[in-house]
Amino acid sequence: MVRVGITQGDINGIGSEVIIKALLDPAICELCTPVVFGSNKTMSYHRKTMGIEDFNFNIVRDINNLNPKRPNLFNIYEEEVNIELGKSTETGGKYALKSLEAACEALENAKIDTLVTAPINKHNIQSESFKFPGHTEYLEKRFGNVKGLMMLCSDALRVGVVTGHIPVVNIFASLSTEKIYSKIKTINKSLKEDFGITKPKIAVMGLNPHAGDNGTIGNEELEMIVP
């Protein structure tokens, strides 16, 4: 059974709610063995806030002792933390990072097989240990400067982005034919290996309105994307 590590995200945000509501579905444990990296006290606070009574985690203090038939929670801290729902606080960022680091360590040591990250606040998580615009860039650096690919997925469509967490004003300057081609190869590999699509069909979108209209509204398509 695939062991899926799940970070708790910002303790003041939507992450815990999404995690608990997802894991309420018993079908999840038929597909994988989920383990949340966080705190039973924090999760209990969110569960009670939502008025959910008939749900509990299997609490583990040894990551090797996961219960494959129940949602697991690996306690990475025991202290009480101040939860302020909907607010951006230093505490929210601190414990989001604590969860992320613990989950990445487990992945590095093959204690889990894959990682799901709940939302963080990209501002309050900034610290000496996290100077990145988002999860994608952190994970790229953490796992050996590999090049990742941010994808948005539905049942029918997977969309990969060439540029990630950068201001819109910087997009043009960051594009190149080589970068676009590299991302095409990455998404092709992912569609085959991760999604089981034998012969993927990949469409490359234009950048400018009307895809530039042959240079009438910008030359990026002609000079970088079409090649």
Side-chain angles (χ1 to χ4, degrees), residues 8 17 85 103 105 110 126 138 218 225:
Q8 69 179 3
E17 178 181 348
L85 296 178
E105 182 179 348
Q126 298 299 318
Y138 173 85
I225 299 176

Side-chain angles (χ1 to χ4, degrees), residues 8-179:
Q8 69 179 3
D10 192 302
I11 60 172
N12 298 321
I14 198 173
S16 297
E17 178 181 348
V18 172
I19 291 168
I20 292 171
K21 287 182 176 178
L23 296 179
L24 278 170
D25 185 347
I28 295 291
C29 289
E30 296 176 9
L31 298 171
C32 65
T33 300
V35 51
V36 177
F37 289 79
S39 160
N40 185 45
K41 294 177 181 178
T42 299
M43 283 294 173
S44 293
Y45 177 93
H46 283 273
R47 179 179 58 79
K48 292 174 183 177
T49 298
M50 290 186 284
I52 296 174
E53 301 294 338
D54 56 345
F55 176 84
N56 285 292
F57 285 99
N58 174 55
I59 309 301
V60 293
R61 288 175 172 78
D62 183 342
I63 196 66
N64 296 304
N65 295 331
L66 300 179
N67 186 332
K69 297 182 179 180
R70 289 186 58 196
N72 298 274
L73 189 144
F74 182 47
N75 251 329
I76 59 171
Y77 59 93
E78 299 285 353
E79 64 268 23
E80 298 279 354
V81 296
N82 187 27
I83 299 174
E84 300 177 80
L85 296 178
K87 293 184 178 181
S88 174
T89 67
E90 183 179 343
T91 299
K94 174 184 175 181
Y95 285 91
L97 180 57
K98 187 183 287 284
S99 173
L100 179 60
E101 290 178 331
C104 285
E105 182 179 348
L107 187 58
E108 288 169 331
N109 293 321
K111 302 298 184 181
I112 57 176
D113 301 301
T114 192
L115 177 64
V116 174
T117 57
I120 57 174
N121 181 307
K122 293 178 176 63
H123 176 69
N124 68 28
I125 198 173
Q126 298 299 318
S127 66
E128 289 300 315
S129 301
F130 193 102
K131 295 181 179 179
F132 304 92
H135 279 119
T136 308
E137 295 78 10
Y138 173 85
L139 294 171
E140 286 178 336
K141 181 71 173 178
R142 174 90 189 218
F143 291 95
N145 290 314
V146 296
K147 290 298 179 184
L149 175 68
M150 190 187 306
M151 295 177 68
L152 299 91
C153 302
S154 72
D155 290 339
L157 188 67
R158 287 88 177 172
V159 179
V161 298
V162 176
T163 60
H165 296 110
I166 64 172
V168 172
V169 71
N170 295 336
I171 290 176
F172 293 163
S174 72
L175 287 175
S176 67
T177 299
E178 292 74 24
K179 180 180 285 188

